[in-house]
Amino acid sequence: MFILDLTYTAPLDRVDALLAEHVEWLGGQYAAGVFLASGRKEPREGGVILAAGDDRAAIEKIVASDPFSVNGVCAYRITQFFATRTAPGLEAFREELPAQ
């Protein structure tokens, strides 16, 4: 599982100009089963996406295809974590800690 933390690096008018493309891109990732939740930060300085998966390189490739990334209006911080506990209904996303 991954937390994708977006921080805007450009003025909001440039972000807003790309918002429709970004929302379409989000929809594609939801349809592919990668994204589980997303939303804008408050104050409006970026956003957060919760992504399913265990392949960091694949997540990095997805992030690089975001119109916000392509057009240089945000920076992503990618944090991988192991969802060893979940709310009811999210059991399919539970993970085991890796063997050490």
Side-chain angles (χ1 to χ4, degrees):
M1 190 86 58
F2 294 87
I3 299 168
L4 310 179
D5 185 359
L6 294 75
T7 301
Y8 298 144
T9 58
L12 286 179
D13 61 330
R14 287 195 50 216
V15 172
D16 287 339
L18 296 163
L19 192 56
E21 290 177 57
H22 173 72
V23 169
E24 183 177 336
W25 170 82
L26 287 169
Q29 298 309 316
Y30 277 106
V34 177
F35 290 173
L36 304 176
S38 61
R40 182 184 290 178
K41 292 180 189 176
E42 184 59 43
R44 189 175 177 204
E45 57 188 23
V48 176
I49 301 168
L50 184 60
D54 57 8
D55 182 347
R56 185 181 184 93
I59 295 295
E60 289 172 350
K61 186 175 178 181
I62 289 168
V63 163
S65 71
D66 178 358
F68 282 179
S69 292
V70 171
N71 291 282
V73 301
C74 86
Y76 272 89
R77 179 174 179 214
I78 302 171
T79 303
Q80 185 172 9
F81 74 101
F82 298 98
T84 56
R85 204 167 165 190
T86 61
L90 296 177
E91 294 89 354
F93 299 102
R94 281 191 193 145
E95 301 172 289
E96 297 289 326
L97 291 174
Q100 293 191 2

